[in-house]
Amino acid sequence: MTSPQRVRFGYWTPIFGGWLRNVDDEQTPVSFAHIAEIARAAEEDGFDLTLIPELNLNDIKGVEAPSLDAWAVTAGLAAVTSRLELMTAVRPGFHNPFHTAKQAATIDEISGGRFTLNVVSAWWAEEAKQYEGLFSAHDDRYARTIEWVEVLRGLWNETPFAYEGEYYRTEGTYTEPKPRVQPRLYAGGESEAGRTAITRFADAYLTHGGTLEELSAKVADMRRRRSEAGATPFEAFGMAAYAIVRDTEEEAQAEIERITDVRGGAAYGSYQDFVSKSKLDTQVDLKEYSVSNRGLRPDLVGTPDQVAERIVKFANVGVSTLLLQFSPHLPEMQRFAAEVIPRVRRLEAQRDA
């Protein structure tokens, strides 16, 4: 049994104006100034990393609502932060690996070696249609991703780099400078094709929010696959979660009722694409879809003590990285940092004593 790691606390950068499909105004402006304010507060308050998601259309508030470009935001954050790991989502169907290798090395330089990638094989057919992204059959997207990663790593390590594959070819490409720290590659997937591909290329595994039992099973499965493949163990297991911290259980449950009051409408337009194109291993109903990325399933809801105890239980089954969502983002993130993170650290110290 692998000893539990110290939990790393991360948050989703709110490039969409929030994470709730039933709340129009989450007091989280879609602006770089506010995103930078959040990042600086996160560094001061003990967060370790941020995930900058990538969608050209806003699947939270509806396709007519604004969403910022993930890579431009990341470059900006690299320049105005000093400690946070910056994990940017990238979808091979929307990014040429040759250009991506150059962009990644540049952001790595700006950040001083704090840049990492979340490799996502994509799920939204309508977005791909509007933005001319490659969107082939589900398993083919993962086959492309494997080659895409091989090219990316080749460009970071060899000069010139030659490659002959089904999707990508080069007789010799020069990419300089190389990253000072080769970016860690995170990836998530639940289908058989997804898990097989991720076992092959990823450094760390990510998942949507799930119950303690679901995460225990996923971690065990991916550890087994990695071992059977003869590869080094995954460096981390990360999970998305939406956190609600209140003084009483009653207040926390009242907030749940408020944010899951399903009304439908434009913000739910991507629901069928999400559930039909992703090959999920867990059914997601409309109420659960009210919060992004199955964030309510981990049940990080309650008093500071309850939430801290729940987090340590996830850590004990192997979840070493949390990618959290809040609403309104800034004040709720600061509340979490002040009231939950210190409690988790105390519980970890007691566990490891």
Side-chain angles (χ1 to χ4, degrees):
M1 179 71 177
T2 303
S3 299
Q5 298 180 31
R6 177 181 181 272
V7 176
R8 300 179 72 229
F9 289 100
Y11 70 92
W12 292 65
T13 290
I15 67 168
F16 307 121
W19 309 108
L20 305 177
R21 293 185 170 91
N22 296 316
V23 179
D24 294 331
D25 182 4
E26 296 184 57
Q27 302 168 51
T28 303
V30 182
S31 74
F32 180 75
H34 189 60
I35 285 172
E37 181 183 10
I38 289 169
R40 287 190 288 262
E43 285 195 321
E44 293 174 3
D45 293 342
F47 279 82
D48 302 288
L49 72 156
T50 183
L51 166 60
I52 302 93
E54 180 185 59
L55 282 177
N56 296 297
L57 298 177
N58 191 327
D59 84 312
I60 307 296
K61 305 299 183 185
V63 297
E64 296 181 359
S67 64
L68 299 180
D69 177 76
W71 283 68
V73 166
T74 303
L77 290 179
V80 301
T81 58
S82 60
R83 189 181 60 79
L84 278 178
E85 176 186 333
L86 304 172
M87 182 203 304
T88 305
V90 60
R91 291 155 318 150
F94 289 79
H95 291 264
N96 179 307
F98 303 94
H99 296 158
T100 301
K102 172 68 75 172
Q103 290 176 298
T106 301
I107 296 176
D108 175 82
E109 168 63 26
I110 296 169
S111 71
R114 293 181 288 121
F115 182 65
T116 58
L117 283 171
N118 175 27
V119 182
V120 183
S121 290
W123 57 267
W124 198 355
E126 177 60 25
E127 184 211 16
K129 176 182 177 182
Q130 291 192 26
Y131 280 81
E132 294 191 344
L134 297 173
F135 197 82
S136 56
H138 177 274
D139 290 5
D140 183 73
R141 297 200 298 274
Y142 278 106
R144 175 181 292 276
T145 295
I146 290 171
E147 279 198 15
W148 190 93
V149 169
E150 290 175 348
V151 172
L152 194 71
R153 285 190 169 131
L155 292 164
W156 286 339
N157 288 288
E158 300 176 31
T159 298
F161 173 66
Y163 188 84
E164 181 73 23
E166 181 180 352
Y167 303 96
Y168 304 104
R169 299 172 182 81
T170 175
E171 295 181 1
T173 299
Y174 290 79
T175 299
E176 296 293 341
K178 307 296 186 192
R180 65 173 71 183
V181 177
Q182 185 151 152
R184 173 187 280 177
L185 300 186
Y186 298 81
E190 299 181 355
S191 66
E192 182 61 29
R195 294 192 195 205
T196 299
I198 290 163
T199 298
R200 178 170 169 179
F201 74 77
D203 301 309
Y205 181 70
L206 299 180
T207 177
H208 293 296
T211 66
L212 192 64
E213 294 73 21
E214 288 167 351
L215 265 293
S216 180
K218 282 185 179 181
V219 169
D221 176 65
M222 295 306 288
R223 281 176 172 163
R224 174 189 60 79
R225 289 169 184 262
R226 193 75 159 195
S227 176
E228 290 177 354
T232 57
F234 283 110
E235 296 173 15
F237 290 92
M239 178 182 71
Y242 184 89
I244 298 174
V245 181
R246 295 292 185 270
D247 293 335
T248 68
E249 289 184 66
E250 292 76 16
E251 290 174 315
Q253 290 304 314
E255 177 67 359
I256 288 281
E257 292 302 316
R258 183 184 76 88
I259 68 176
T260 60
D261 178 20
V262 176
R263 298 191 302 271
Y268 288 84
S270 62
Y271 174 70
Q272 290 301 329
D273 258 350
F274 177 70
V275 297
S276 65
K277 303 296 194 299
S278 300
K279 293 193 177 180
L280 304 174
D281 64 2
T282 302
Q283 184 63 38
V284 180
D285 62 26
L286 270 174
K287 184 173 182 180
E288 196 166 51
Y289 195 66
S290 298
V291 175
S292 176
N293 301 96
R294 301 210 296 264
L296 293 178
R297 287 187 75 80
D299 194 27
L300 300 188
V301 177
T303 67
D305 284 330
Q306 289 172 326
V307 173
E309 290 166 5
R310 184 77 171 161
I311 288 170
V312 172
K313 288 180 180 179
F314 276 103
N316 290 343
V317 300
V319 179
S320 57
T321 301
L322 289 177
L323 297 168
L324 299 169
Q325 298 172 345
F326 308 95
S327 182
H329 188 104
L330 183 56
E332 291 299 323
M333 181 186 77
Q334 291 174 314
R335 183 205 296 255
F336 184 95
E339 299 182 6
V340 177
I341 293 179
R343 284 174 165 85
V344 171
R345 298 300 178 222
R346 287 195 293 270
L347 290 171
E348 289 175 326
Q350 293 169 11
R351 177 196 65 194
D352 300 336

